Amino acid sequence: MDPIASKVIDVSGIPVGGSHPFALITGPCQLESLDHARMMAERIAAACAPTGTRFIFKASYDKANRSSIGTQRGLGMEEGLRILDQIKAEFGCPVLTDVHLPDHCAPAAQVCDVLQIPAFLSRQTDLLLAAGETGRAINIKKGQFLAPWDMENVAAKVASTGNEKIMLCDRGTSFGYNTLISDFRGLPVMERTGYPVVFDATHSVQQPGGQGTTSGGQREFAPVLARAACAVGVSALFIETHQDPDSAPSDGPNMIPVDQMEALIGELRSFDNLRKGN
């Protein structure tokens, strides 16, 4: 099967799938403040403008699966959704956040265009059903412990609600302790479901728990993996970014400095255009 032959879903005006240019899911891992989110959205919009790349602003109001009890979880749902609503209004971009519990889905869907199912929760039936019932687009991270063909069953849970606005996201597969590996065979395998596939370049270079109480990462390899994913063919790329990743409250070792994003996006669009014949 042609790995760019997925259906096309509409994410608040952004077509995701088929031969459309990749959509970019990007932003800081964790919401820090309205001012910070606004600054990041401004810089992301500027980085995307030269290539006309459409972006979905991503940030989490709660990081519920942190490595240790002492690490920061975020601003909480009420404040986080207020900030995301403001970013959506000011920049006219769709917004995405993680949901961790079934009762988070309906409130998050009042603001967010995309609800994201974290990888560790990708088989939680009640969460998947609650997310699907909102009618919003759902980005499901493939569990690090799952084979790519297992995602057909995961997607079917959401689709059982009548909502087929589903994206399947690869973020690496467990490969020994504190290590992930990207198997690019999994991208066309997941496309066989018919749903658009997303490649998460920054979490694929994560080293889960690799720094003891926090996760490590090798951000220098994120662009390498993103280029490879574009060459295979994907509908969207997930790349977290920050103005100073080494001081970020979450996933700093994985994130791309925002001042490098314009050049990276331009390079990735070249690979994407070549693959899709645009």
Side-chain angles (χ1 to χ4, degrees), residues 87-204:
I87 295 301
K88 181 177 179 178
E90 289 186 22
F91 294 89
C93 60
V95 294
L96 175 154
T97 199
D98 300 292
V99 288
H100 296 90
L101 295 169
D103 59 6
H104 288 186
C105 294
Q110 292 179 13
V111 171
C112 295
D113 305 270
V114 185
L115 302 185
Q116 182 165 276
I117 307 298
F120 285 126
L121 301 178
S122 57
R123 287 185 54 170
Q124 297 301 303
T125 301
D126 289 344
L127 178 60
L128 292 164
L129 295 178
E133 287 166 358
T134 68
R136 291 296 197 178
I138 311 299
N139 186 37
I140 310 171
K141 295 282 191 82
K142 182 184 79 66
Q144 303 93 325
F145 45 87
L146 290 180
W149 45 85
D150 293 333
M151 291 301 285
E152 183 171 8
N153 291 330
V154 173
K157 293 180 181 182
V158 175
S160 73
T161 68
N163 181 357
E164 294 197 346
K165 292 189 288 186
I166 298 166
M167 298 180 283
L168 303 179
C169 181
D170 192 292
R171 54 139 302 159
T173 300
S174 296
F175 185 75
Y177 297 125
N178 307 122
T179 304
L180 299 172
I181 191 168
S182 291
D183 179 358
F184 290 100
R185 296 174 299 178
L187 301 179
V189 168
M190 289 198 297
E191 286 279 14
R192 291 173 188 161
T193 64
Y195 297 112
V197 166
V198 184
F199 182 72
D200 179 348
T202 43
H203 285 97
S204 291

Side-chain angles (χ1 to χ4, degrees), residues 9-53:
I9 67 170
D10 181 271
V11 180
S12 300
I14 299 178
V16 180
S19 61
H20 288 280
F22 68 77
L24 181 63
I25 301 171
T26 187
C29 180
Q30 187 178 131
L31 282 167
E32 299 177 34
S33 68
L34 175 58
D35 287 344
H36 182 261
R38 182 182 286 126
M39 178 272 293
M40 289 300 305
E42 287 175 350
R43 297 186 67 173
I44 289 166
C48 290
T51 54
T53 298

